[in-house]
Amino acid sequence: MKYICLGYFDEKKWESMSESEHNAFLDECFDYDDLLRENGHIASGEALQSARNATTLRWKNGKVSITDGPYAETKEQLGGFGVIEARDLNHAIQLMSKHPGVKAGPCEIRPADDLADMIRESERRRSRTKEE
């Protein structure tokens, strides 16, 4: 089963670290990522640029409203995400609790939802609408 892992961190804390601290932390994280990948547990993942580079879209008063910055003003911002393969939630927790990235901030784990049935049903509805 696929699980989405959202990693959060405090950008100010990160910015206060030295280059050698950054490098040591990243090397430790990438070493563990390699281990997850070797064992078939990483499906994908990406780091995110600073929350200062975010743009947030909201539906407001019947149209899209665009604001600069992240959705929420909090100390910890979303820093990246990963998609892992695990037997169940407990297995996903075991895998991610060993990830060095957890030291930088919380990691939210959510089961991925299989939308295949919903997509097929929507395609059927949309094709019927086009035929009419």
Side-chain angles (χ1 to χ4, degrees):
M1 182 166 188
K2 285 189 172 117
Y3 290 87
I4 312 302
C5 303
L6 305 173
Y8 294 84
F9 77 111
D10 182 341
E11 286 186 351
K12 289 183 178 157
K13 184 178 177 184
W14 178 258
E15 291 166 359
S16 72
M17 293 169 60
S18 70
E19 183 178 353
S20 63
E21 289 172 318
H22 283 168
N23 291 341
F25 177 76
L26 292 172
D27 291 350
E28 190 179 0
C29 288
F30 294 148
D31 276 345
Y32 190 69
D33 288 349
D34 288 344
L35 179 65
L36 290 173
R37 195 173 291 104
E38 288 168 14
N39 290 310
H41 294 298
I42 289 188
S44 67
E46 295 291 335
L48 300 174
Q49 290 187 5
S50 169
R52 291 183 294 267
N53 296 338
T55 300
T56 300
L57 307 179
R58 289 182 180 85
W59 187 255
K60 195 173 185 179
N61 300 323
K63 62 182 181 175
V64 173
S65 169
I66 303 169
T67 56
D68 291 336
Y71 172 69
E73 294 292 326
T74 65
K75 182 174 151 184
E76 292 164 334
Q77 296 293 331
L78 183 60
F81 71 92
V83 180
I84 63 169
E85 292 279 352
R87 290 184 305 274
D88 54 30
L89 180 58
N90 286 333
H91 187 220
I93 291 168
Q94 288 173 350
L95 293 171
M96 292 312 295
S97 66
K98 296 175 187 169
H99 197 291
V102 173
K103 296 174 189 172
C107 176
E108 180 180 339
I109 301 172
R110 291 194 204 179
D113 207 355
D114 182 359
L115 299 179
D117 290 340
M118 271 194 256
I119 291 169
R120 279 192 294 278
E121 188 57 37
S122 175
E123 288 170 344
R124 281 193 284 272
R125 287 192 304 270
R126 289 179 285 149
S127 69
R128 284 194 302 256
T129 302
K130 289 177 186 175
E131 291 172 2
E132 294 173 359

